[in-house]
Amino acid sequence: MSSLTWLSVEELERDKKLPLFKKTLEIYEAQFKEQATGISYAPGRVEILGNHTDYNGGHVMSVALDVGTAVAFKTQSGTTTHVYSDSFQKFETFEVNTEDRASDPNSKWTDYIKGALREVPEIILNSQGANLAVVTDLPMGSGLSSSASLTISTLIAGLILSDQKSIEPMDLAQRGQHSEVEFVGMPCGLLDQFSSVFGRENHLLYLDCEQLTHDAIPLTHEKVVIVIADSGIRHQLVDGEYAKLKASCERACKELGTLLDKPLRFLRDVSSEEFFRVYDQLDPQDRRRAKHVILENERVLLGKEIASQNTKELGRLMVQSHESSRDDFGNSCRELDLLVEIAQKLPGFLGGKLSGGGFGGSAVFLVNEEESPHFIAGLKDGFESVSTTSVSPYKASIGDCARGYRWA
Ligand code: ADP
Ligand code: MG
């Protein structure tokens, strides 16, 4: 993928997301009583394989969705930035500067925006103010990475606002990750931001999170679709669980380095053969987490090889990944387990697992297109017959990458 440059208003007219863009521009105009001069967009994602492998320097496989976050914007003469989020129907006002720290928990959502704008040094240098309107068709906090979609979209807005002509896609993804880790305080890897920046219609995405090599694998040889089911359980990953899992992986990596007597930067540098040689000597909880990460990396590498010819095998790897999250890593929950268990008995099922951080959020399924209506109905009925909560599984389309438009 070559460098990302900004598109024109003529291209905007042909964009599949035009309805969302029109809505965003209308909301901007209604709120700020002026017309925006540009719009940015970044999609959400689901993880196909590679659960909690990204911050362990490992391998991931994902798809970008055809839903995401749009930001309409215009430079303002003062130093103040006004932002309106349609999701919260709320305005916030702030200045972007280096002294600013992540805010009080009550207005956490603006941290994603401040954090993203701080990744554009020119905005800070020029103390530049702006108006921004944020509109999304992606559910928040359901494991589809609305946070990365908001961050990347805002970053593109910031780059255009400060008159940057282009950006390298990996640089954009890394700045997005940096802002979530350093400003918002979520110690995430690169999966979400990479998927949003590199998304490609009808393609699986692969990333080596250490080498930063990546690939887009066509998912076209068979008619398969992605089905998403929100478990309804809301995770609060910023609040500590994620950091604990990451710390556990880091301890295991350090311990493995000593036991294997080799320098290890990440768990990705350990083969399963090496791992099981010293398994008994590791801390019981840390070793289960490390086992998940090490075997998950192997699943991604195998999945990458077979994905375009054998979706059945890819699906089987997804089920193994879920079982490993459930039994070893410990980041599943009853609702996600139920969804995956019920799905496996339904027509059209190829594979399924929890997606993203875990402890709730969404489950993702690979399903034969023809049988997908029966699958969706069966999953809803099956889940609701054993649970007190409801579920509304839906077919999701694989969408294109983040992009920005400017016309003034
Ligand atoms: P996920 O990324 O899985 O959706 P996160 O908890 O990481 O869940 O991110 C969700 C948070 O991102 C929201 O609570 C909110 O603070 C912020 N966010 C996402 N989309 C928007 C939006 N359109 N407007 C305002 N804040 C948003
Ligand atoms: Mg997130």
Side-chain angles (χ1 to χ4, degrees):
M1 196 171 162
S2 51
S3 49
L4 199 70
T5 53
W6 323 130
L7 303 160
S8 68
V9 100
E10 291 73 35
E11 287 160 308
L12 181 82
E13 290 293 326
R14 294 194 294 271
D15 196 303
K16 280 191 175 169
K17 296 301 294 183
L18 187 59
L20 174 70
F21 297 169
K22 277 190 172 157
K23 181 178 169 191
T24 309
L25 293 170
E26 279 162 19
I27 288 174
Y28 182 96
E29 203 173 332
Q31 297 300 331
F32 294 112
K33 316 290 178 234
E34 62 175 17
Q35 290 197 337
T37 54
I39 193 163
S40 55
Y41 169 79
R45 62 96 190 91
V46 279
E47 169 200 302
I48 300 295
L49 283 175
N51 189 251
H52 285 261
T53 49
D54 58 354
Y55 57 76
N56 287 302
H59 307 274
V60 293
M61 187 182 279
S62 62
V63 297
L65 299 171
D66 72 344
V67 284
T69 306
V71 180
F73 50 83
K74 186 179 178 200
T75 305
Q76 299 299 304
S77 53
T79 55
T80 311
T81 291
H82 300 278
V83 47
Y84 177 78
S85 166
D86 186 49
S87 306
F88 292 114
Q89 310 246 307
K90 227 173 144 184
F91 272 106
E92 294 285 347
T93 298
F94 53 82
E95 290 188 6
V96 184
N97 56 54
T98 41
E99 285 86 57
D100 202 11
R101 292 286 166 270
S103 67
D104 63 278
N106 296 331
S107 59
K108 198 86 198 166
W109 68 274
T110 47
D111 284 351
Y112 293 94
I113 292 165
K114 286 185 201 172
L117 292 174
R118 283 161 54 100
E119 294 294 323
V120 184
E122 294 78 6
I123 290 210
I124 295 178
L125 271 175
N126 304 330
S127 305
Q128 192 174 334
N131 288 343
L132 309 169
V134 179
V135 181
T136 182
D137 54 6
L138 179 69
M140 269 191 282
S142 71
L144 306 184
S145 207
S146 68
S147 61
S149 137
L150 173 62
T151 301
I152 297 293
S153 192
T154 307
L155 242 161
I156 294 176
L159 291 163
I160 298 178
L161 281 165
S162 61
D163 215 20
Q164 309 302 298
K165 304 294 177 230
S166 65
I167 186 162
E168 290 308 312
M170 195 57 85
D171 182 17
L172 175 60
Q174 285 178 312
R175 288 197 209 187
Q177 181 201 11
H178 186 258
S179 105
E180 275 205 55
V181 173
E182 296 299 327
F183 194 73
V184 179
M186 167 65 182
C188 60
L190 192 56
L191 165 69
D192 301 353
Q193 298 80 8
F194 161 78
S195 311
S196 188
V197 172
F198 285 83
R200 190 160 157 197
E201 217 176 314
N202 298 324
H203 282 70
L204 295 165
L205 305 171
Y206 160 78
L207 172 69
D208 177 330
C209 296
E210 192 191 24
Q211 306 290 321
L212 301 182
T213 49
H214 54 91
D215 206 356
I217 306 158
L219 193 60
T220 48
H221 91 290
E222 269 174 55
K223 295 244 177 268
V224 293
V225 293
I226 307 266
V227 171
I228 296 173
D230 183 350
S231 67
I233 306 299
R234 287 287 164 270
H235 62 88
Q236 283 297 333
L237 290 176
V238 177
D239 300 336
E241 269 326 297
Y242 198 96
K244 280 188 210 154
L245 293 172
K246 188 168 181 236
S248 189
C249 293
E250 285 165 0
R251 274 196 307 273
C253 183
K254 206 164 160 222
E255 194 61 26
L256 278 161
T258 311
L259 291 169
L260 294 168
D261 194 22
K262 77 178 215 182
L264 290 180
R265 288 214 309 137
F266 294 111
L267 280 179
R268 77 75 81 35
D269 299 319
V270 184
S271 69
S272 53
E273 187 274 317
E274 287 172 315
F275 174 68
F276 286 115
R277 222 189 300 149
V278 294
Y279 181 84
D280 291 343
Q281 299 168 63
L282 290 159
D283 171 84
Q285 189 176 56
D286 291 348
R287 76 183 171 202
R288 281 174 41 223
R289 296 195 168 134
K291 179 182 161 201
H292 166 78
V293 171
I294 291 164
L295 295 182
E296 185 75 352
N297 275 325
E298 297 187 350
R299 280 187 282 274
V300 182
L301 290 175
L302 180 59
K304 173 176 174 270
E305 294 313 311
I306 54 93
S308 62
Q309 318 93 43
N310 193 344
T311 37
K312 243 193 189 127
E313 176 64 7
L314 179 64
R316 208 178 56 79
L317 292 169
M318 288 172 74
V319 174
Q320 283 179 4
S321 165
H322 183 83
E323 289 168 354
S324 172
S325 286
R326 183 191 64 198
D327 301 338
D328 285 321
F329 207 62
N331 63 329
S332 188
C333 67
R334 186 180 158 268
E335 288 75 5
L336 288 167
D337 293 342
L338 263 180
L339 285 165
V340 174
E341 194 186 307
I342 294 162
Q344 288 184 58
K345 298 176 196 128
L346 293 172
F349 174 85
L350 293 165
K353 62 189 272 294
L354 66 84
S355 166
F359 307 108
S362 297
V364 54
F365 302 96
L366 214 55
V367 182
N368 273 324
E369 187 171 27
E370 253 175 41
E371 289 164 301
S372 61
H374 303 294
F375 176 86
I376 288 170
L379 189 56
K380 183 174 176 59
D381 289 350
F383 183 83
E384 291 177 359
S385 69
V386 291
S387 175
T388 51
T389 55
S390 59
V391 70
S392 300
Y394 57 96
K395 205 158 99 173
S397 299
I398 303 179
D400 263 326
C401 60
R403 48 207 184 259
Y405 292 89
R406 74 178 304 174
W407 47 86

